[in-house]
Amino acid sequence: MKEQDGIYLIEQVIADDNLWRAYKKVRKNKGAPGVDGVTVYQLKAHMEKYYHPLKRKLKDGTYQPQPVKRVAIPKVDGSKRYLGIPCALDRVVQQAILQVIEPIIDPQFSDNSYGFRKEKSAHQAIKKTEAYYEEGYRVVVDCDLKSYFDTIHHHRIRGYLGYFISDKIVLRLIWKFLRSGILDKDIYIETTKGAPQGGPLSPILANVDCQH
């Protein structure tokens, strides 16, 4: 586990101010409870009760995320769209990791990338398109990668993350989130591909993958 910016990244992840800032973000975003049934309204008391064991497990890399709860949402055409709901505490841990790794990774992304990025928006993308139009460009290509978040290659993303993150404990924790599995009612489904459903880490992992 190498030092990065003078301090182990895991120490930044488990710093009190970082963990509680992550809690506030998750609490603000609300959302349904995961498989453990703990709501965002119960989250503070839950964190306070298990706070020291939580920090210890994160620091030594033994923290184990719970499976993501799968929920089926009916679509207009009669098909279903599946959503993943991580446990509230797992969302806090993901958010705490994101707050540390995003400033390291995001600056390496393309200036022309606007999706799921901090201080980037669809409005900025539209303005960039307008600027291209003024330059004389007249062709727009619109494409969509089907089920992209669900099909991200785990070993590939793990390799890409190694370019940015030297702290093996942080990498191990991210890997555990990737492989934490899905609980569909009472059926456990192993996850061998895809980003952690519904979690704060999903967007940045998808960006790391698609921009490399």
Side-chain angles (χ1 to χ4, degrees):
M1 186 169 65
K2 299 178 182 178
E3 284 186 291
Q4 197 158 358
D5 297 329
I7 187 172
Y8 294 129
L9 291 187
I10 191 60
E11 296 289 355
Q12 297 180 33
V13 171
I14 66 172
D16 292 338
D17 61 338
N18 188 60
L19 282 173
W20 287 109
R21 183 157 59 95
Y23 156 76
K24 290 178 180 177
K25 180 72 172 179
V26 171
R27 176 66 176 80
K28 182 179 180 182
N29 288 342
K30 299 181 180 179
V35 296
D36 63 357
V38 176
T39 70
V40 292
Y41 306 105
Q42 300 167 318
L43 181 55
K44 184 176 182 181
H46 186 71
M47 277 188 65
E48 289 173 341
K49 182 178 181 180
Y50 297 105
Y51 192 65
H52 293 295
L54 170 65
K55 292 188 68 171
R56 184 183 68 251
K57 289 178 181 180
L58 289 174
K59 186 173 183 178
D60 61 23
T62 60
Y63 180 85
Q64 184 58 53
Q66 298 195 61
V68 170
K69 180 180 179 180
R70 173 174 281 180
V71 177
I73 306 297
K75 297 173 69 173
V76 177
D77 61 5
S79 62
K80 294 181 180 179
R81 180 168 63 96
Y82 291 98
L83 297 180
I85 306 175
C87 294
L89 185 59
D90 286 342
R91 299 203 295 268
V92 171
V93 173
Q94 285 194 41
Q95 181 65 34
I97 294 172
L98 177 67
Q99 289 167 181
V100 170
I101 69 172
E102 188 174 48
I104 298 170
I105 298 176
D106 188 80
Q108 312 305 319
F109 293 155
S110 168
D111 290 338
N112 294 317
S113 171
Y114 295 92
F116 304 110
R117 294 183 64 191
K118 193 174 183 179
E119 298 180 2
K120 294 275 190 175
S121 68
H123 293 293
Q124 291 174 323
I126 292 171
K127 287 184 178 179
K128 189 62 174 286
T129 303
E130 291 173 346
Y132 283 138
Y133 183 84
E134 294 297 326
E135 293 175 13
Y137 294 95
R138 294 294 182 269
V139 177
V140 175
V141 178
D142 183 18
C143 60
D144 183 27
L145 300 177
K146 184 178 180 181
S147 302
Y148 178 67
F149 278 90
D150 296 332
T151 57
I152 291 174
H153 193 285
H154 282 182
H155 289 283
R156 186 175 63 211
I157 192 68
R158 192 179 192 181
Y160 291 155
L161 286 171
Y163 288 119
F164 304 107
I165 303 172
S166 58
D167 190 323
K168 302 302 183 185
I169 298 295
V170 172
L171 289 172
R172 186 187 306 167
L173 288 170
I174 295 173
W175 181 253
K176 284 186 175 185
F177 277 111
L178 286 169
R179 311 288 282 195
S180 61
I182 297 168
L183 196 64
D184 189 346
K185 297 179 181 177
D186 294 327
I187 301 173
Y188 175 79
I189 303 169
E190 183 180 2
T191 47
T192 57
K193 59 183 179 180
Q197 293 190 16
L201 283 173
S202 296
I204 195 167
L205 294 181
N207 267 318
V208 167
D209 184 57
C210 73
Q211 297 201 44
H212 286 80

